[in-house]
Amino acid sequence: MRRSAAPSQLQGNPFKKPKFIPPARSNASPNEEVTKLNSDIKLFKVAANKNTFLQSQNDPRICSFNLPTEESSRGINHEDNNREKYCLEASAKTTTSDPHHTVHLAPKEITVSKGQEEEPDSLVKYFSVVWCKPSKKKHKKWEGDAVLIVKGKSFTLKDLEGKDIGRGIGYKFKELEKIEEGQTMMIGGKEIEVMGIISPDDFNSGRCFQLGGGSSSALPSSQAVKKCFSNPFKSVCKLSSKENRQNSFQNCKPRHDPYAPNSLTMLRPDNNHQWMFNKNCFPVVDVVIDPHLVFHLRPHQKEGIIFLYECVMGMRVNGRCGAILADEMGLGKTLQCISLIWTLQCQGPYGGKPVIKKTLVVSPGSLVNNWRKEFQKWLGSERIKIFTVDQDHKVEEFTKSSFYSVLIISYEMLLRSLDQIKSIKFDLLICDEGHRLKNRTIKTATALINLSCEKRIILTGTPVQNDLQEFFALIDFVNPGILGSLPSYRKIYEEPIIKSRQPSASEEEKELGERRAAELTCLTGLFVLRRTQEVINKYLPPKIENVVFCRPGALQIELYRKLLNSQAVRFCLQGLLENSSHLICIGALKKLCNHPCLLFSSVKEKECSSTWDENEERNLYEGLINVFPADYNPLMFTEEESGKLQVLSKLLAVIHELCPDEKVVLVSNYTQTLNILQEVCKRHGYAYTRLDGQTQISQRQQIVDGFNSKYSSDFIFLLSSKAGGVGLNLIGGSHLILYDIDWNPATDIQAMSRVWRDGQKHPVHIYRLLTTGTIEEKIYQRQISKQGLSGAVVDLTKTCDHIQFSVEELKNLFTLHESSHCVTHDLLDCECTGENHTGDSLEKFPVFRNCQLGTHQQKSDSLKPVSMSQLKQWKHFSGDHLNLTDPFLERIRENVSFFFQNITNQTTAI
Ligand SMILES: Nc1ncnc2c1ncn2[C@@H]1O[C@H](COP(=O)(O)OP(=O)(O)OP(=O)(O)O)[C@@H](O)[C@H]1O
Ligand SMILES: [Mg+2]
């Protein structure tokens, strides 16, 4: 039968060719496809003659690129052999099956046995088919490829994006039973021709669909080959004349000695890479990291640099040059990138020619100058010329001068200077704190997506796998199209994975979800790297973490009772108020916990507001003012009025007295609270500095540097965690006090990580202050309970507006426990009486994070708050306990009802 071809057929025999079509390819007309195919075949022939492609043909997506080839098999890192680790990791991930042959011919387990009378319902068979609308014409015009799933007497037809395009139950049984290759039949109103059998493994992993970028994009597909030929080296390696080539041959020595002790040498490109990228046949030269940098690098950083190098060079996933470095906070992602930039800017594997000329680093405004400082710190000011954009230094200056090679700009400035940025040819793009790109619709993301730069790196300290759609956005940003289109990704990965997590999921659904999750991890694991804090713990001083339960003051208790008895709270508990009104009640209670004067100011402010009458706050604040003394003046607040402020004041005094050389970072989420804390500093004569949302971006680094400097006289750094916590290094401080608590544990953890990081010289003391028996304890419990953990809200962009509360939960939130020393301890089912319970060290209990990609790849992750059961293992005792060995706690215990304490890196503690 003559017929026009379905897309898969246009690429040749679908059984011999990989099924994956890079998304861009689908735009091409069939004729173009044929042309591409021919050129592919030619390329394959040449390659085969050179005996170059054979290696990558086996399973290029995983190990072949990483395994040292014959020429490159000598040690790449004389200190530690990271490459082997990668290979092992990668091959372990891909034990499933051969990614090339996504369509298998009649594997044993699904062969339909002849003569079988009744097909068991559970036996599912999968076929690859082509389909078209029914017609009597001899010359069929096939409209597309599809996957036919036959289960007993029912079938489903799915297109290659995973969408159902046909379904049927009770179908003529005989027809379904006898399906075999080449057979045509009418099914679900479509005419189909069976092209082959798909193995259950290929179906379950999703590889039979149009996706699976990692597997197939690793293949030398025409698109990938074209892309690779046209791009990564184009801007720099333009030498084509004989003369130029000869010149460059003469300079073909590695820039640094690869055989020197402790040298860090990158993997040599394999034959496939050379064939694709070394068009001018330059000699292959070792790329060696500058020993000046290697001297400082931690082992995980060396590993990270190798990883980044291989990703951006297209050595890990063929033709794809993106990477996500998702190391936890403080692991030195900046230094790893600086090392990469410096290396690629001076060196390259082909003739030693530099791989990149210009790099664009985009970061949050508060970190732009931190980047400049880090460049300076590691490379000095002579080696590399950095240009940071600010009010006085515009992008034009960078454009006009050939002096600078690295442009550092904030996300906000980038949008403002987009036209100029677009006119510059950048060879490498680094997006710091790049999790903000998870939302593809925001302007910054769109702007960056549209930049033509192919080598892209996202840096983020936030886990990237907690939300599958956000995960897609980040992956698609660094390696566009590798997971196919968003709709097909949803069908093939997200929906089955989410379905498998539902309590009602069948065994079959669970298995499918797990397989798809595993496949997704495997595809993306090649260019996503995350290490947890543990890798640097051994370089850090001890960390003493304390949760301090502060007794509320008398005025606080009275006001708290009044608020809980208000009409607004009662209506909330009866579900009678608008959706968001509980947030107003929660806000008022939180303010009260910080200091009653904040509540007083709010009430007064509202009284003067024109909307007061219509406002639910009226119901909440009614009669409240009468609880305050008649002459109450919020500006003249006292420390005794707030339990936490009393503790804070004593804590500052004891730190100042016992550790006069040490400094304190004092964190709150609220500007008004920071004002109070600032006033406390003034009253006690403590020198302070402050960074909050109102601080000019251009001043931020200066403030941070000032505080970190050993010459600074500042004792306290007042920090608004939401405004500027991300990415800051505040190693000048060794005591950090979290004055209030956020619903999102990530906010608090981010803040805590500012001081316990590389470069910190003193033992670090962290104090989390909570008001006993109040909403603050409830928020803390939520952070550390299963409920908080399962929400996987370890993401700074999530606010409490996202949280839904049941009436039961609200009842719990709106209860004051006046007689308990510590409600959190009461909930732990701990048998101790609060008399110095010395729990086992937390370090024995790995902290797990929830991740939508499934349990199989959960790892210890210090970004997660401790869990209830882990907290039980912390040392804990009531404030009445007699022998407190910690001198700081000893001084504050009068106002404290309970303590939890945990020490990390105890060996050299206190
Ligand atoms: N090998 C090293 N030796 C000494 N200090 C280092 C080393 N690597 C990094 N640092 C320092 O550690 C601090 C943290 O590094 P960096 O800011 O790059 O962390 P990060 O991974 O970007 O963390 P975050 O996610 O919080 O932004 C910096 O002060 C940096 O200079
Ligand atoms: Mg950083």
Side-chain angles (χ1 to χ4, degrees), residues 79 115 213 285 359 374-375 406 637 700 792 887 904:
E79 204 176 57
V285 177
T359 301
E374 288 277 312
F375 267 106
V406 180
F637 68 85
R700 292 187 176 198
T904 315

Side-chain angles (χ1 to χ4, degrees), residues 55-70:
Q55 182 193 4
S56 61
Q57 284 277 312
N58 289 334
D59 187 356
R61 87 178 149 142
I62 304 299
C63 257
S64 56
F65 285 133
N66 300 325
L67 284 169
T69 58
E70 254 173 59

